[in-house]
Amino acid sequence: MKIAVPVVDDSLRMAGNAGHTPYFAIFNLNGGMFKTFALEGLRANPKVVVGEDHHDHDEHHTCDHDEGDVEHIKAHDTMAGTIEDCDYLVVKMACKNTAKSMSNVGVKLQKYNGIETSASKVLSELASQFK
């Protein structure tokens, strides 16, 4: 099973908003009762231009683009295509467009409400949720 976590860089610090993350850390879930997570690598989010001055939007950003904003929806679909081989995307926040695009490619959203910022620690806290 593969799990994507939105991260800000190779420090694997979790990003607050999945749709605006510069990278996705891809982890492979191994084990049965005792789950382990092995980092496969980072994938750039094609929706975000890496290297530009970027703010995370965190929980204060709302996506107010509607179904008529074709280019915006296409950007979300392209982002989803980047991780379509994953089973889950862990999110602190994701807009309706991110949720719909992920659903369209079969990626389930797993909400994280904790305070950890390390992707590995977040996954450890959520281990029992991945089935």
Side-chain angles (χ1 to χ4, degrees):
M1 175 181 302
K2 286 188 182 188
I3 302 166
V5 180
V7 295
V8 297
D9 56 27
D10 60 2
S11 70
L12 301 183
R13 183 171 56 90
M14 187 171 174
N17 188 318
H20 295 273
T21 188
Y23 300 98
F24 295 101
I26 308 301
F27 290 86
N28 290 301
L29 170 64
N30 302 304
M33 190 163 108
F34 300 102
K35 296 179 171 127
T36 61
F37 300 91
L39 178 65
E40 179 180 297
L42 293 181
R43 296 181 190 169
N45 180 357
K47 190 173 170 290
V48 175
V49 178
V50 177
E52 279 189 0
D53 186 27
H54 172 75
H55 55 93
D56 194 23
H57 289 294
D58 286 327
E59 288 79 25
H60 305 294
H61 177 75
T62 57
C63 188
D64 57 1
H65 300 273
D66 62 19
E67 293 80 24
D69 191 342
V70 176
E71 287 304 312
H72 184 76
I73 302 300
K74 186 177 177 181
H76 279 273
D77 290 345
T78 301
M79 177 183 69
T82 301
I83 61 168
E84 68 184 343
D85 62 326
C86 294
D87 300 285
Y88 288 93
L89 169 61
V90 175
V91 300
K92 284 189 135 229
M93 179 188 168
C95 74
K96 63 185 178 200
N97 294 315
T98 297
K100 183 172 174 36
S101 293
M102 293 302 161
S103 176
N104 288 344
V105 296
V107 176
K108 298 177 207 93
L109 298 186
Q110 177 59 56
K111 180 81 168 143
Y112 178 68
N113 292 318
I115 60 170
E116 277 298 335
T117 58
S118 163
S120 297
K121 290 180 181 178
V122 168
L123 290 173
S124 292
E125 284 187 25
L126 292 173
S128 65
Q129 303 301 310
F130 302 117
K131 303 191 190 270

